Amino acid sequence: MESAYLQKHLGACLTQGLAEVARIRPVDPIEYLALWLYKYKENVTMEKLREKEMADLERERELALMEQDMMERLKAEELMFQQQQLELEMQEKERQRLEELQRAQELLEKMRMDMENTAMSEDTSYLDDAAANSGKTLAEISDRFGAPKLSRVEEVDESMLSDVELNIDQDLEDHPT
């Protein structure tokens, strides 16, 4: 039982220490072995600390990589969000532009219809006025101030007149009395 304890805790250490004493052959082997055991203990403690530090550094490195990966994903997500916002803004502007265009087209169509209605009503009123004023003189039709008040003159279609009447008119002009 005691040998198992010594073998477990001191076996490798004592074996290496005694092998070192046998190899070096110091003047005071006991003091040398004691100092060697202290140094061995210090080296083992330092190695455990170094391993712990390395493990901590590895964990920190993994955490830093995870954090960097998370930051990259966040940046990508933020960029995607900004792009979506930009697309939404562009879609909204396009929708507004299309609405304005549609309103302008509707207004243009309404104006066109109004103009056609006005033209048709003017044509109708002109025809009504023309029918009502067909027997009136220009002065009677005109509403202007200062329009002459001329009497009505009937025009004769010359194609219907005979050649004789035309000759009489010419003779009268040639021979005044």
Side-chain angles (χ1 to χ4, degrees):
M1 197 143 109
E2 292 175 7
S3 65
Y5 172 78
L6 290 175
Q7 181 64 30
K8 181 180 175 185
H9 294 288
L10 298 175
C13 173
L14 277 178
T15 306
Q16 288 176 10
L18 291 173
E20 187 69 22
V21 169
R23 186 176 67 82
I24 300 270
R25 296 180 184 244
V27 177
D28 189 0
I30 295 175
E31 184 180 348
Y32 184 83
L33 182 59
L35 291 174
W36 189 90
L37 288 172
Y38 281 123
K39 183 65 175 170
Y40 180 84
K41 174 68 174 161
E42 185 179 316
N43 288 344
V44 168
T45 304
M46 290 301 284
E47 184 62 30
K48 286 181 183 177
L49 278 172
R50 191 173 303 121
E51 287 176 4
K52 184 179 181 271
E53 285 177 2
M54 291 300 284
D56 289 345
L57 285 174
E58 184 63 27
R59 272 193 301 270
E60 286 179 19
R61 187 179 72 77
E62 288 174 3
L63 287 173
L65 287 175
M66 287 174 37
E67 185 176 338
Q68 183 181 7
D69 186 44
M70 179 72 78
M71 292 300 287
E72 288 174 358
R73 278 190 264 142
L74 285 174
K75 284 181 182 178
E77 187 175 314
E78 183 179 351
L79 181 62
M80 187 171 54
F81 179 73
Q82 288 175 349
Q83 288 175 344
Q84 289 174 346
Q85 290 290 71
L86 184 60
E87 286 177 16
L88 287 174
E89 288 174 7
M90 288 174 60
Q91 288 174 355
E92 180 64 22
K93 286 181 181 178
E94 182 66 17
R95 185 187 61 78
Q96 288 175 352
R97 187 185 68 78
L98 288 174
E99 285 177 357
E100 288 177 14
L101 181 61
Q102 185 177 7
R103 283 193 299 267
Q105 287 175 340
E106 289 172 358
L107 182 61
L108 181 62
E109 185 63 29
K110 183 179 178 186
M111 289 173 63
R112 186 178 299 135
M113 294 297 285
D114 288 346
M115 289 177 67
E116 287 176 3
N117 290 339
T118 304
M120 288 178 73
S121 67
E122 284 178 1
D123 287 346
T124 305
S125 67
Y126 175 74
L127 290 176
D128 291 344
D129 288 345
N133 297 329
S134 63
K136 296 182 180 180
T137 64
L138 182 61
E140 292 170 340
I141 295 172
S142 177
D143 291 339
R144 289 187 161 183
F145 175 75
K149 305 266 189 236
L150 300 174
S151 62
R152 185 172 177 165
V153 175
E154 299 255 345
E155 292 185 22
V156 179
D157 189 12
E158 290 183 7
S159 63
M160 297 176 70
L161 296 176
S162 66
D163 290 336
V164 175
E165 292 175 346
L166 288 174
N167 287 335
I168 293 172
D169 288 340
Q170 284 181 351
D171 285 341
L172 290 174
E173 289 175 6
D174 290 339
H175 300 288
T177 32

